[in-house]
Amino acid sequence: MGSIFCNQCGHENTKGARFCSSCGTEMNAHHEHQTEGLEQISLDSVADPSSAASLVVTSGHRAGTRFHISGALASVGRHPDSDVFLDDITVSRRHVELIEGPTGYGIRDVGSLNGTYVNGQRIDDELVLTNGDELQVGKFKLLFLVSVAGA
């Protein structure tokens, strides 16, 4: 049986694998969705005016899916009860939390196995998010957008 190598981490995988067994990258993806194109989308077309913030999936099998974030705490993970449900083995059941604070939303990794990245940097502590930040949770990349409606 042949093997294929992951373009992201170089790990050797069995031929026909859909995702890298090391980093979770989709093996048959011909191109990675780029955040740059999505940042040019009008916020009116993405953010729900009744919601303080939105997460838009930019890569992964749910690309294009939009999650509206509201309330003091939003959970992100593979657990079906998560506010942002990302069903993939690279995502921990309880992966990350978005916490609303006086300066906006912050993000906190809650002990995930693969870690959480904001703008390509792994976070170890709580971090305040800004409009346009790119989050990576497992193999998923999400764009954080803040609604400016009513501002």
Side-chain angles (χ1 to χ4, degrees):
M1 187 175 236
S3 58
I4 55 175
F5 293 89
C6 176
N7 290 334
Q8 185 73 24
C9 71
H11 181 76
E12 184 175 1
N13 294 276
T14 57
K15 188 173 184 175
R18 291 180 53 215
F19 302 98
C20 176
S21 61
S22 177
C23 70
T25 299
E26 190 172 0
M27 297 299 292
N28 61 355
H30 297 290
H31 65 281
E32 186 75 21
H33 294 280
Q34 296 296 317
T35 305
E36 291 82 19
L38 288 174
E39 287 178 9
Q40 296 173 7
I41 295 174
S42 165
L43 290 179
D44 294 333
S45 67
V46 177
D48 178 358
S50 65
S51 175
S54 294
L55 288 176
V56 179
V57 180
T58 61
S59 74
H61 69 273
R62 298 196 65 187
T65 304
R66 181 175 45 217
F67 296 96
H68 302 294
I69 308 300
S70 60
L73 180 71
S75 60
V76 178
R78 189 168 35 100
H79 193 281
D81 291 339
S82 297
D83 298 310
V84 177
F85 175 55
L86 301 173
D87 190 19
D88 186 78
I89 194 70
T90 62
V91 178
S92 296
R93 284 180 181 82
R94 310 252 187 245
H95 200 105
V96 70
E97 293 177 336
L98 298 175
I99 307 104
E100 186 177 27
T103 59
Y105 277 92
I107 186 169
R108 172 177 59 211
D109 188 289
V110 289
S112 68
L113 182 62
N114 292 326
T116 302
Y117 297 80
V118 174
N119 299 325
Q121 299 294 314
R122 187 174 181 145
I123 61 168
D124 296 319
D125 203 2
E126 189 171 326
L127 177 76
V128 175
L129 294 172
T130 59
N131 192 32
D133 279 346
E134 180 185 64
L135 285 57
Q136 183 171 348
V137 176
K139 71 171 188 169
F140 294 93
K141 289 187 180 177
L142 305 111
L143 184 63
F144 177 76
L145 298 172
V146 178
S147 176
V148 292

